[in-house]
Amino acid sequence: GKKVKDLNKLWLDKDTTLFNPEKEYYIFPGYIGVNLYDIEMGISVKSFRLGDFNKRQTKLSPNGKYLATTYENSLKIWNISTGGLLHNFNNHNSNINSSEFSQDGIKIVTSSQDSTVKVWDVINGKMLFDLKGHDAEVETASFSPDGLKIVSGDAKGIIRTWDLSTGLLLKRMEGHKSKINTIDFSPDETKLLTSSEDATAKIWDLNNANLVHNLNNHKKNVRAASFNIDAKKILTWSNDHTTKIWNTEDGSLICNFEDSDYDGYVGHSKYSTDGKFAASIHGKIAKIWDVESCELLQVLTGHDNNIWTIEFSNDNKYIVTLSHEDSTVIIWGFLSGESLFKIKNPGDRFNAFFSPDNKQIIITSYIPSGRWDIWDLKKRKLSFSLNNCWDLSSDGCQILASSSNYNIDVYDSKSGALIHTLKGHKDRINSAYFSKNSKNIVTASDDNITIVWDAITGKILAKFFMIDEKDNLNLTSDNYYLGSKSAINGLYWIINNKTIYPFDQFDLKYNRPDIVLERLGYADSTLIAAYHQAYLKRLKKMNFTEDMLKDDFHIPEIKIENFEELPTIINEKEINLDLNLNDSKYPLDRINVWVNDVAVYGTDGISIRDKNTMDYKTKIPVSLAKGENKVQVSVLNQAGAESYKESFYINCEAGKEQPDLYLITLGGSKYQNESFNLTYASKDAGDLAEVFKKSSVYKNIFTKTLINEQLTKENVLELKNFLKTADINDQVIIFLAGHGVLDENLDYYLATYDIDFNNPAKRGLAYEELESLLDGIKPLKKALFMDACHSGEIDKEEVELMAQTEVKTGDIQFRTVGTSPTPKLGSQNTSELTRSLFADIRKGTGATVISAAGGMEFAMESGEWKNGLFTYCLINGLQSKSADLNKDGKIMLSELQKYVQDEVVKLSGGKQQPTSRIENLEGDFGVW
């Protein structure tokens, strides 16, 4: 925590100091805390007071949002932007040895002296898995590059791999005789490379856990081992003062670079870009070796103090070495080993790199000005200097630098001439970088906006708005957008600098993730096409086509003519609304009506398209529930724009004092195809029906239960007539347990008794059909519980199918059949994003839908619980009243939802995680 007074003299060691990805800050651990320094200003901007720093590790998440610190058995997660403590995990029983973030920055894994490995959810602050299996102190644990596995190594030299989706042990690899130091994956993730204090490195087959090669030519501790870029060679370096290069294919030793002149460790080793040469640093000298012949080619001497970095030019004509201790950069001729020219005192905390065309050497300085000096290698002289620089394009032709008025200047790297000035930010720019292919430029600013620019034209392609910690919105220059869940809350359009519209007013036209992703140019074409198909499906459901949607901000108008006459309190069950609808440009399409966020005329509303009119007057009745009612009406035109929602509140004193419950329970344990029979699903349905009979919330409880042979598509759809008799003040709960089946298009079906598991669309019950039972019925308070695999909403474009007929572990059986999904577009499920993209795809039935498992998960059942796990937690929460979280004597639906979610995650060890497909926050109600 002691402030460094002279930052200009501070050497930042990569093992103790961290840069965030934007290089806006660097993080310097001290004895009792961590200081966050602003690179541009060179001042401390935040301090994290952490206590005794002994045995502490500090890690920065790859996304630059979070800082993880460990001390003894405690792991703390900090918010970089605020400096606030997010989570304090202290579930280990002994000191933590290592911690590592996943590539997406939303998970972190820790290893400990207590012989365990734990995986944590950075966002929600929950432990996902407690991986037990090691019988010795676990030295290191890391995520595989694809984020699907955890690999851990212990003090006895044992390596284990774990499935990150289930937490189950996959493989055990035994061969080292001492502590594991490092773990590295080959680029294709088929091989694992480990280094150990037993003076060996080992290559393993990651699929079958077999030892492939034992690299055992070192005499002392192998400090690190790594694959080269194509994994054909391996580089190791050791405390025996040697750097060695090995053949990955046969494990043979290719080169042995020894250094008997330098009394210390090999300070650094690296390959040239083409892998033909290797460089090793030994104090104030550097050595260059031929990888094929193992011949020592050059010994570079000329620095007065320790060399910190060495780099090859891409064509291997030049080498650059730099020393912060003697403030010198030296450029060498590769063939001759001669010092071509020397640059003294290049700046504060400098670095050096070659341009891609190998014609320039660029010396960078981060403090105080971010100056770049561009040197001509052939002429051996300074060409020009630029201040406040950020990045060089991949072709070496352009440089980005901050300018005044919150702009970014793009310069020609050969002449220093100004090419573009990028104008769009409204506050200090804190990062600017080229994309990998240099076609785009990305800038971020204190205005909370990230902008993607076309590098050739300098035009804005998209703006990324960080709304809060969870939500963001991506907006193109012509108003198409892609947003996360709840992103549009609190946002609005301003037209002609005066007219304000709610942000979802033009959602049907401008909510276009396919267009945004296509403009950015990074998403897979298959994903873009899939988003476009999802959009067309949405239009079809609402009876629109793309051609019908107009590219303007014209909206229809709605007026409640008798608004002034409406009472605030009424003793009748219904009111009549006199509506005056008009549009000066487009014909009208439909009227939407909601009471407490439930579409009382169904999700399709009242169609008036056949009227083909731009002016329409009508009177519609609206039923009211006892108590306060939030009533909203709107009109949609045939160009896809919706009017303002006319809203008012009215308190209804008529109606039932105590509701009736209409309970439907569905359970499938037996099927025509007996190979898919389950043990407890039908019992789940019966048990829950019995439990609700004991609830004192309801005056009457009407129950329909269908199990096994009764569970047919026709019988389920017939239940709509059962629900039609319910009153607006009654409550409806539908529960199902059984198999959830995905077809080849990843559409979800409830497995009926006579389903064809190879073609579920033939006799299975589609999710939309199940949900339709709740659409357009009178009750406003309704919920759907689903205890089946894949019951959470699934992003169809994210997964591919794998064959799986039955999954068991111990006494636990997973409710999975036929085909199961595996990630296709990465490990992070994007279903939440997909669902939020199309905010009004249904307008919602108003029901809260709670599912046992995510769209890519299995649901469990076990003899230990004698139910499905989800059902077991549901019943236990009600009967024991543990779901009464605020202890007020009643259990609300929202409380039951949270209790079940937490208990399922805890009892399954994170293997099963309930989700909410849809939530009606206005429709919370007591269930017990």
Side-chain angles (χ1 to χ4, degrees):
K2 183 178 180 181
K3 185 175 180 180
V4 179
K5 295 181 179 179
D6 187 359
L7 291 177
N8 298 340
K9 296 179 180 179
L10 177 65
W11 163 244
L12 301 178
D13 186 280
K14 67 182 180 64
D15 293 326
T16 60
T17 306
L18 306 166
F19 286 94
N20 73 326
E22 295 81 12
K23 294 185 179 177
E24 177 189 4
Y25 303 116
Y26 70 86
I27 298 162
F28 183 73
Y31 286 104
I32 61 171
V34 173
N35 276 356
L36 187 67
Y37 291 90
D38 186 292
I39 284 179
E40 184 174 321
M41 303 299 295
I43 60 173
S44 175
V45 293
K46 290 186 181 73
S47 291
F48 304 86
R49 297 300 167 183
L50 312 174
D52 184 3
F53 205 81
N54 184 35
K55 297 183 182 296
R56 184 179 296 281
Q57 297 179 17
T58 304
K59 294 291 178 70
L60 186 71
S61 63
N63 58 19
K65 293 183 178 181
Y66 308 107
L67 186 72
T69 60
T70 60
Y71 172 66
E72 294 183 344
N73 69 332
S74 174
L75 167 70
K76 293 185 178 180
I77 308 295
W78 307 81
N79 185 309
I80 286 294
S81 62
T82 65
L85 177 64
L86 292 178
H87 310 298
N88 182 15
F89 305 124
N90 56 2
N91 296 63
H92 280 293
N93 297 322
S94 192
N95 288 346
I96 294 173
N97 285 330
S98 72
S99 62
E100 181 182 309
F101 282 98
S102 58
Q103 285 299 311
D104 54 19
I106 62 174
K107 296 184 183 71
I108 190 168
V109 60
T110 54
S111 66
S112 169
Q113 293 177 5
D114 65 7
S115 304
T116 68
V117 175
K118 299 183 190 297
V119 184
W120 315 84
D121 186 311
V122 173
I123 307 298
N124 298 322
K126 296 178 180 178
M127 183 171 67
L128 299 178
F129 298 110
D130 186 0
L131 309 180
K132 298 177 181 178
H134 286 281
D135 57 1
E137 180 176 340
V138 186
E139 300 291 343
T140 182
S142 61
F143 293 92
S144 61
D146 61 8
L148 300 179
K149 298 183 184 72
I150 293 285
V151 180
S152 55
D154 64 28
K156 289 185 178 181
I158 309 299
I159 302 103
R160 287 174 170 82
T161 61
W162 314 80
D163 187 315
L164 193 53
S165 63
T166 64
L168 300 178
L169 178 66
L170 295 174
K171 304 291 182 182
R172 182 180 187 273
M173 290 169 275
E174 186 173 352
H176 283 293
K177 297 178 181 178
S178 189
K179 185 178 80 171
I180 303 297
N181 286 328
T182 61
I183 296 172
D184 190 30
F185 294 87
S186 61
D188 62 3
E189 299 177 30
T190 62
K191 294 182 177 64
L192 195 68
L193 176 63
T194 55
S195 68
S196 170
E197 284 189 352
D198 65 5
T200 70
K202 297 183 188 296
I203 308 171
W204 310 82
D205 186 307
L206 196 54
N207 294 321
N208 58 30
N210 289 338
L211 178 64
V212 179
H213 297 299
N214 184 24
L215 314 180
N216 59 356
N217 196 261
H218 282 291
K219 297 177 181 178
K220 292 184 179 181
N221 176 24
V222 179
R223 297 175 63 201
S226 60
F227 289 100
N228 73 335
I229 192 167
D230 61 6
K232 292 182 179 180
K233 295 183 178 68
I234 289 169
L235 183 144
T236 60
W237 41 299
S238 164
N239 288 0
D240 63 8
H241 306 167
T242 67
T243 297
K244 300 181 190 297
I245 296 177
W246 312 77
N247 185 309
T248 304
E249 190 65 30
D250 60 15
S252 61
L253 180 64
I254 298 174
C255 296
N256 183 25
F257 306 142
E258 297 189 61
D259 181 34
S260 57
D261 303 326
Y262 177 57
D263 185 19
Y265 300 152
V266 176
H268 188 60
S269 299
K270 72 183 308 178
Y271 287 108
S272 60
T273 305
D274 58 11
K276 294 181 179 180
F277 307 99
S280 55
I281 297 171
H282 312 262
K284 51 191 176 183
I285 68 171
K287 295 185 177 182
I288 311 300
W289 313 79
D290 185 294
V291 170
E292 297 300 325
S293 67
C294 301
E295 179 186 356
L296 177 62
L297 299 178
Q298 307 290 351
V299 177
L300 309 180
T301 60
H303 284 282
D304 298 325
N305 220 315
N306 289 336
I307 299 171
W308 288 102
T309 303
I310 186 167
E311 297 285 347
F312 292 88
S313 62
N314 294 325
D315 58 4
N316 290 333
K317 288 184 178 180
Y318 304 99
I319 296 170
V320 61
T321 57
L322 60 90
S323 169
H324 287 260
E325 295 185 6
D326 64 13
S327 298
T328 304
V329 176
I330 302 179
I331 293 86
W332 313 79
F334 178 80
L335 295 177
S336 65
E338 295 180 2
S339 172
L340 300 181
F341 60 101
K342 184 182 294 188
I343 303 169
K344 289 288 292 181
N345 302 314
D348 303 313
R349 239 179 59 236
F350 57 91
N351 204 348
F353 60 93
F354 292 97
S355 62
D357 61 6
N358 308 297
K359 294 181 178 180
Q360 295 164 304
I361 184 76
I362 300 171
I363 313 297
T364 67
S365 172
Y366 293 113
I367 293 179
S369 63
R371 189 185 78 244
W372 283 19
D373 294 331
I374 293 85
W375 294 75
D376 188 302
L377 283 171
K378 187 175 182 180
K379 296 179 180 179
R380 303 183 188 180
K381 73 173 196 176
L382 180 67
S383 297
F384 60 92
S385 296
L386 291 172
N387 288 324
N388 305 314
C389 293
W390 286 103
D391 198 16
L392 178 73
S393 60
S394 59
D395 59 8
C397 295
Q398 296 179 343
I399 296 174
L400 300 179
S402 299
S403 63
S404 58
N405 300 320
Y406 315 129
N407 299 328
I408 284 286
D409 289 333
V410 185
Y411 291 94
D412 185 294
S413 63
K414 310 301 179 186
S415 64
L418 179 65
I419 301 173
H420 296 303
T421 294
L422 309 180
K423 300 179 180 180
H425 286 292
K426 297 180 180 180
D427 208 334
R428 183 178 71 93
I429 292 173
N430 50 48
S431 69
Y433 292 98
F434 284 99
S435 61
K436 189 175 181 179
N437 58 14
S438 292
K439 291 183 178 180
N440 296 340
I441 296 168
V442 181
T443 59
S445 165
D446 284 349
D447 60 12
N448 275 345
I449 299 174
T450 298
I451 300 179
V452 180
W453 314 75
D454 186 301
I456 297 176
T457 65
K459 293 182 178 179
I460 295 175
L461 295 177
K463 291 183 178 181
F464 296 77
F465 297 85
M466 287 307 301
I467 298 169
D468 53 33
E469 281 295 310
K470 297 183 294 183
D471 292 311
N472 60 81
L473 185 79
N474 310 330
L475 180 69
T476 67
S477 57
D478 49 357
N479 301 313
Y480 293 110
Y481 59 87
L482 178 159
S484 62
K485 185 179 181 180
S486 305
I488 63 175
N489 293 345
L491 298 179
Y492 51 87
W493 299 94
I494 299 178
I495 311 300
N496 299 324
N497 293 320
K498 58 180 181 179
T499 308
I500 297 175
Y501 296 96
F503 201 81
D504 61 355
Q505 202 84 25
F506 308 98
D507 193 73
L508 198 61
K509 168 69 178 178
Y510 292 109
N511 192 345
R512 294 297 302 273
D514 55 322
I515 292 178
V516 175
L517 294 176
E518 185 176 26
R519 298 273 183 88
L520 293 175
Y522 297 107
D524 182 86
S525 60
T526 304
L527 174 63
I528 295 173
Y531 273 125
H532 183 62
Q533 285 301 115
Y535 179 69
L536 294 179
K537 183 178 179 180
R538 175 197 191 197
L539 293 183
K540 183 178 180 181
K541 182 177 179 66
M542 299 188 69
N543 202 19
F544 279 90
T545 66
E546 283 187 278
D547 293 337
M548 294 172 65
L549 305 180
K550 306 303 179 183
D551 194 15
D552 61 15
F553 287 87
H554 176 83
I555 66 171
E557 295 181 353
I558 184 170
K559 183 179 181 181
I560 302 175
E561 295 283 13
N562 60 335
F563 181 80
E564 297 296 332
E565 304 168 14
L566 295 175
T568 57
I569 301 175
I570 191 172
N571 197 27
E572 297 178 2
K573 296 181 180 181
E574 187 178 274
I575 57 168
N576 290 303
L577 300 181
D578 294 332
L579 301 181
N580 187 351
L581 320 172
N582 66 83
D583 193 301
S584 60
K585 196 171 183 179
Y586 303 112
L588 301 171
D589 187 81
R590 74 190 66 183
I591 304 169
N592 297 310
V593 185
W594 298 270
V595 175
N596 294 340
D597 289 342
V598 176
V600 293
Y601 280 94
T603 55
D604 293 332
I606 304 170
S607 177
I608 53 175
R609 179 175 290 190
D610 60 348
K611 309 293 184 186
N612 195 29
T613 180
M614 293 187 290
D615 293 285
Y616 187 66
K617 291 184 178 181
T618 187
K619 178 179 290 188
I620 61 171
V622 178
S623 298
L624 302 174
K626 187 176 179 64
E628 187 172 69
N629 294 261
K630 179 179 74 172
V631 181
Q632 296 175 297
V633 291
S634 72
V635 62
L636 195 75
N637 67 22
Q638 292 183 25
E642 187 178 13
S643 70
Y644 282 113
K645 288 180 181 177
E646 288 291 335
S647 304
F648 63 91
Y649 287 85
I650 184 169
N651 195 294
C652 177
E653 295 184 339
K656 293 182 176 181
E657 291 292 337
Q658 189 176 15
D660 293 334
L661 172 64
Y662 285 74
L663 176 65
I664 295 173
T665 61
L666 312 172
S669 288
K670 295 180 180 180
Y671 299 91
Q672 274 187 349
N673 189 338
E674 295 180 356
S675 62
F676 294 108
N677 283 355
L678 292 168
T679 306
Y680 296 105
S682 59
K683 181 176 181 293
D684 289 345
D687 288 354
L688 193 70
E690 288 299 316
V691 167
F692 266 104
K693 289 180 180 179
K694 304 172 186 177
S695 176
S696 60
V697 170
Y698 309 104
K699 182 177 182 180
N700 298 295
I701 299 176
F702 303 103
T703 304
K704 289 285 188 180
T705 298
L706 301 178
I707 63 171
N708 301 333
E709 294 86 349
Q710 302 167 333
L711 191 59
T712 64
K713 180 176 181 178
E714 291 78 11
N715 286 347
V716 174
L717 295 179
E718 178 64 25
L719 293 171
K720 186 70 175 270
N721 292 324
F722 168 66
L723 297 177
K724 284 182 178 179
T725 61
D727 181 77
I728 190 172
N729 294 291
D730 292 333
Q731 297 174 188
V732 174
I733 294 177
I734 298 178
F735 168 87
L736 67 89
H739 283 304
V741 187
L742 299 175
D743 68 6
E744 61 182 4
N745 298 316
L746 296 174
D747 286 318
Y748 180 81
Y749 295 86
L750 169 66
T752 52
Y753 172 74
D754 53 352
I755 190 174
D756 180 349
F757 285 100
N758 294 317
N759 184 16
K762 188 175 180 181
R763 292 292 300 157
L765 185 71
Y767 172 77
E768 290 78 11
E769 293 175 313
L770 178 67
E771 194 179 36
S772 70
L773 296 178
L774 297 167
D775 190 23
I777 60 175
K778 293 179 182 178
L780 304 181
K781 297 175 179 179
K782 41 197 175 181
L784 171 60
F785 293 90
M786 305 172 68
D787 192 351
C789 64
H790 314 312
S791 50
E793 190 146 356
I794 192 165
D795 177 1
K796 301 177 188 179
E797 289 67 57
E798 185 210 13
V799 297
E800 56 191 8
L801 294 174
M802 67 177 182
Q804 181 152 354
T805 57
E806 186 178 39
V807 180
K808 287 188 177 181
T809 172
D811 181 50
I812 298 172
Q813 182 174 353
F814 292 83
R815 292 175 175 174
T816 177
V817 298
T819 52
S820 302
T822 56
K824 179 180 180 182
L825 302 172
S827 60
Q828 185 177 357
N829 192 317
T830 58
S831 60
E832 288 294 323
L833 174 61
T834 304
R835 187 160 64 253
S836 67
L837 293 176
F838 306 124
D840 67 349
I841 189 167
R842 288 182 284 255
K843 290 291 184 186
T845 63
T848 293
V849 183
I850 305 171
S851 60
M856 292 172 58
E857 291 181 350
F858 306 137
M860 301 176 179
E861 63 173 26
S862 169
E864 177 184 352
W865 309 310
K866 293 182 174 53
N867 285 111
L869 175 56
F870 178 82
T871 307
Y872 170 78
C873 295
L874 187 65
I875 291 173
N876 185 63
L878 294 172
Q879 288 187 325
S880 68
K881 299 185 179 180
S882 299
D884 181 10
L885 302 181
N886 63 3
K887 306 301 179 185
D888 65 351
K890 60 182 177 181
I891 298 175
M892 302 297 289
L893 179 63
S894 58
E895 290 180 301
L896 183 60
Q897 176 183 350
K898 186 176 189 316
Y899 171 82
V900 170
Q901 182 175 24
D902 291 345
E903 285 297 297
V904 168
V905 171
K906 182 171 70 175
L907 292 179
S908 69
K911 300 180 183 68
Q912 181 179 328
Q913 300 189 43
T915 63
S916 295
R917 291 174 68 102
I918 310 163
E919 293 179 64
N920 182 355
L921 300 180
E922 291 285 336
D924 198 12
F925 58 91
V927 296
W928 194 266

